[in-house]
Amino acid sequence: MFTRAEKIELGLIALATGALALVAGRLPKELEIGSFLAIGALALLGQGLLRDIWLLTKQRRAGAGVHREEARCICMESTVGLGGVLTGILLTALAVPFAVTMAEWAWPLAGGLVWCAGFAVKDVVIQWTPWKLRRVKDHGSILVRWR
């Protein structure tokens, strides 16, 4: 069952997708692949940023002490988002000529897919010692250790 916060996030995803559908006619019909990847990755990172700000605000209002688990891991959502932005920048800098054609209906579809994927992996961290994917609810309190 979803928590109240998760239900709100899903509602905001639906609203954002609907808003994207309303403005889709004014968005570009064609994008270079680098721009396409960077825009999608920035949408994913923006969603995570808004969620993190909400969680920090919630923790401060509760006045609860932050339990800091130490782990050798990194947030999957941030990793994919940063990787997408860097790949997009690299493809744009290399002037890769491949273009993505975007029909008007494709914009809200792409936005909804990106934001639903972000929702699905929001609690997943990539741990490298030992290697595994872990689900850690509200993992912003983890203190990342590289070694």
Side-chain angles (χ1 to χ4, degrees):
M1 193 68 189
F2 291 126
T3 65
R4 181 174 180 255
E6 290 171 332
K7 290 176 185 176
I8 291 170
E9 184 173 353
L10 286 171
L12 290 172
I13 289 170
L15 282 173
T17 303
L20 196 53
L22 291 175
V23 300
R26 295 186 220 149
L27 297 174
K29 305 289 184 229
E30 189 172 277
L31 290 169
E32 289 185 8
I33 188 69
S35 297
F36 179 77
L37 286 173
I39 289 168
L42 287 170
L44 181 68
L45 287 171
Q47 175 186 13
L49 175 66
L50 292 175
R51 186 184 314 108
D52 290 346
I53 289 171
W54 180 83
L55 286 171
L56 287 172
T57 303
K58 180 181 163 188
Q59 286 175 351
R60 285 196 180 141
R61 284 186 184 153
V66 177
H67 169 68
R68 292 207 177 260
E69 173 188 349
E70 291 186 20
R72 291 173 181 94
C73 63
I74 193 160
C75 172
M76 178 180 254
E77 186 179 28
S78 298
T79 303
V80 170
L82 181 60
V85 169
L86 293 176
T87 302
I89 290 170
L90 180 66
L91 291 173
T92 301
L94 294 173
V96 174
F98 186 74
V100 177
T101 303
M102 296 291 288
E104 194 170 318
W105 57 266
W107 282 102
L109 177 65
L113 288 174
V114 166
W115 292 320
C116 285
F119 180 81
V121 300
K122 67 182 171 55
D123 294 328
V124 177
V125 294
I126 303 167
Q127 181 175 305
W128 53 85
T129 306
W131 167 253
K132 66 180 172 179
L133 296 178
R134 290 178 43 201
R135 185 167 291 277
V136 180
K137 190 83 170 155
D138 302 336
H139 54 268
S141 63
I142 292 179
L143 184 58
V144 177
R145 295 286 183 206
W146 296 104
R147 305 175 106 216

